[in-house]
Amino acid sequence: MSGASANAVVNAEVVTLRAPVAGDLTVEDRVLGARVEQGEVLARVEDRLVDNVRLSDLQMEQSFAETELTHATERLEAAKQARDRLAERSASYQDRRVEELATRFEFARERVERLEAGSVPGEADTETGGSPAEDGSDTQSPDEGGLTLTSARERVAVLEIELAAARAGVYLGDGYNDAPVSEQLSMQLETDIAALEADLVRAQERLDAVSARVDQSRVRATLAGGGQLSSPVSGLFWEVLQADGVIVQRGDPLLRILDCESLIVTLSVTERIYNDLTLGQSAEFRMSGQSDIYDATVTRLAGSGAERIYGNLAVAPSQQHLERFDVTLRVPALNQDSELGCVVGRTGRAFFERRPLDWVRSVFG
C-alpha cells in the first residue's frame, strides 16, 4: 500500500492589518474575496484630536529662519553690487588719472625741450648766466615768467614717477591717501562682504537644522494622526474585523488579507504513515476532479492536535483532521501556474510514494 492522505486542502497565510493609532476607521467599499494588489489602499484611521502644537511652533520658527536667510541674501547682494559700482568708479578714476598725468608729463617734457633749445626768452640764459639784453635791461630772473630749466626737468621726473605709480594703481601727490575714496570704500566693502557671507552660511545652517526638526515632527504628527492602511501583499480581501465608521484603538485588528503567494497544502495522515515521513521528503499532490499531479515536498510535521498552528492560515482544520497527524507540503507549481489562480480551499489527496497503479487512480480518483 502507498502512503496517502485522507484529506488535503490548499491553504495560505492570512495577514492581519492593525490600527496604527486610535481614531475613526474608514474601510474602502470592497467585496469579500476581491483581488487586491500590494500597496493598494484598503482603509484609513484618523485621529482628529492629535496634538500639532509642537509642529506649529517649529513651522513658525522655520518661517523666521527663512526670512533671516532672505534678508542675509539681500544684504550680501546689495553689498556686492555696491562693491562692483565702486570698482567701476575706481577703474574709471585710474584711467582718467593716468590720462591726466600722461598729458601733464608730455607738456612738461615739451617745456624742457623748448628750454633746452632756448625758444623761451630769457630761460636758457638763466641757466648759463648770460649777459643783459641789448636794450640795456636785465634778463628775466628765475623767479619771473615760468620755469627754469632745472625746475622743469625736476617736474618732468616727478610726473614720470607719478605716472608710473598711477599705472600701477598707486596714487602720489594726493595727500596722505595712496588710493581714491572709491577704492578705499571698495576695500571696506570686501571686509563687509566676508562678514555677510559668514552670516548667510549661519542662516542657511540654522534653516537646515529647523527644517530637519520640522520634518521629524511632521512624521511624528502624521503617525500620531493615522492615515492610510495599504495591503502589504497581493492576494484576496479576506475578512473585515471592524465595521466602517467605528472608533478603534491602537493595535486593534481591522482587516485580514489572504496572501496568494504563500500557497501550501495542509493534510492529515495516519500515525503509521506519519512516522515514516521526514522533512524534505518528496511527495505528490492531486486536486479532486483533476488528473494533473504536482510535485511536492514535506516542509512541516506538526503531529496530532496541531490546532494552534492554523491561527494565521485561511482554512482551519476539521475535527477529523485534528484527530489524525498534521503534515504540510510545499507545492511550487501552485504559485507558478497563473491559470490556477489563488485556489485556496481546493481539496485533493497527497501521495508519498509511487505505485504501479497510479494512473488508475488519476482516472477514477
Side-chain angles (χ1 to χ4, degrees):
M1 298 291 294
S2 171
S5 65
N7 62 339
V9 61
V10 179
N11 220 329
E13 295 180 0
V14 177
V15 179
T16 302
L17 273 66
R18 298 180 178 273
V21 296
D24 299 330
L25 173 65
T26 302
V27 181
E28 298 289 334
D29 187 12
R30 188 176 278 101
V31 179
L32 292 178
R35 183 79 183 185
V36 297
E37 300 298 330
Q38 183 177 6
E40 185 175 347
V41 177
L42 304 178
R44 179 186 298 274
V45 179
E46 294 181 342
D47 183 4
R48 296 188 178 91
L49 302 179
V50 64
D51 185 5
N52 290 324
V53 174
R54 179 56 179 166
L55 176 60
S56 299
D57 291 342
L58 287 174
Q59 288 175 334
M60 180 176 63
E61 187 175 350
Q62 184 182 35
S63 298
F64 291 155
E66 290 174 348
T67 302
E68 181 182 351
L69 179 62
T70 301
H71 289 170
T73 303
E74 292 175 350
R75 291 196 301 270
L76 178 60
E77 185 62 26
K80 288 182 177 180
Q81 292 177 358
R83 177 199 60 188
D84 294 340
R85 290 194 299 269
L86 289 173
E88 293 177 0
R89 292 184 59 184
S90 179
S92 177
Y93 175 84
Q94 181 179 10
D95 293 340
R96 302 290 80 79
R97 180 65 172 169
V98 169
E99 183 179 354
E100 175 195 5
L101 291 174
T103 301
R104 293 171 63 186
F105 174 74
E106 291 299 327
F107 278 102
R109 187 167 57 182
E110 182 180 349
R111 291 191 188 97
V112 170
E113 293 175 354
R114 292 175 62 189
L115 288 171
E116 289 176 343
S119 58
V120 178
E123 292 297 334
D125 295 338
T126 59
E127 276 299 310
T128 58
S131 59
E134 294 180 355
D135 57 0
S137 62
D138 293 336
T139 59
Q140 192 176 23
S141 68
D143 296 331
E144 300 175 356
L147 297 173
T148 64
L149 181 59
T150 301
S151 62
R153 288 172 177 171
E154 177 186 359
R155 184 59 177 161
V156 169
V158 170
L159 287 173
E160 186 176 10
I161 294 173
E162 290 184 6
L163 180 59
R167 286 171 175 168
V170 178
Y171 305 99
L172 305 177
D174 288 335
Y176 57 86
N177 293 327
D178 63 347
V181 175
S182 57
E183 184 175 345
Q184 296 177 45
L185 293 176
S186 179
M187 295 173 61
Q188 179 61 44
L189 280 175
E190 290 291 349
T191 303
D192 296 341
I193 287 173
L196 289 173
E197 288 177 342
D199 292 341
L200 181 62
V201 172
R202 182 169 56 253
Q204 183 64 60
E205 291 176 348
R206 181 172 181 270
L207 176 59
D208 293 342
V210 174
S211 298
R213 292 168 61 191
V214 168
D215 292 340
Q216 294 173 359
S217 182
R218 184 179 289 112
V219 171
R220 286 194 294 267
T222 301
L223 294 176
Q228 297 177 343
L229 295 179
S230 303
S231 175
V233 296
S234 296
L236 302 179
F237 192 67
W238 196 246
E239 186 178 2
V240 179
L241 303 176
Q242 297 287 348
D244 179 45
V246 302
I247 298 177
V248 296
Q249 300 301 317
R250 182 176 182 179
D252 286 351
L254 306 179
L255 304 171
R256 303 185 78 194
I257 308 301
L258 178 68
D259 184 3
C260 288
E261 297 181 356
S262 64
L263 295 180
I264 57 175
V265 173
T266 55
L267 54 101
S268 63
V269 296
T270 63
E271 182 178 3
R272 182 184 62 82
I273 296 176
Y274 181 83
N275 288 330
D276 290 336
L277 299 178
T278 59
L279 293 176
Q281 179 178 338
S282 61
E284 293 179 343
F285 172 69
R286 179 171 61 85
M287 286 189 284
S288 300
Q290 291 188 359
S291 59
D292 294 336
I293 296 178
Y294 301 97
D295 293 332
T297 304
V298 177
T299 58
R300 183 171 65 185
L301 299 172
S304 60
E307 183 176 6
R308 293 194 308 274
I309 66 173
Y310 283 82
N312 291 326
L313 294 180
V315 181
S318 65
Q319 185 61 39
Q320 181 183 4
H321 181 109
L322 295 176
E323 292 173 356
R324 294 159 65 89
F325 291 80
D326 184 87
V327 179
T328 300
L329 300 181
R330 179 178 178 271
V331 187
L334 295 179
N335 291 318
Q336 298 170 359
D337 192 344
S338 59
E339 295 182 358
L340 287 176
C342 195
V343 291
V344 172
R346 292 285 297 272
T347 60
R349 297 190 69 187
F351 304 93
F352 299 102
E353 63 183 43
R354 188 176 297 278
R355 296 180 298 171
L357 297 180
D358 278 349
W359 66 275
V360 177
R361 291 201 306 277
S362 66
V363 175
F364 299 99

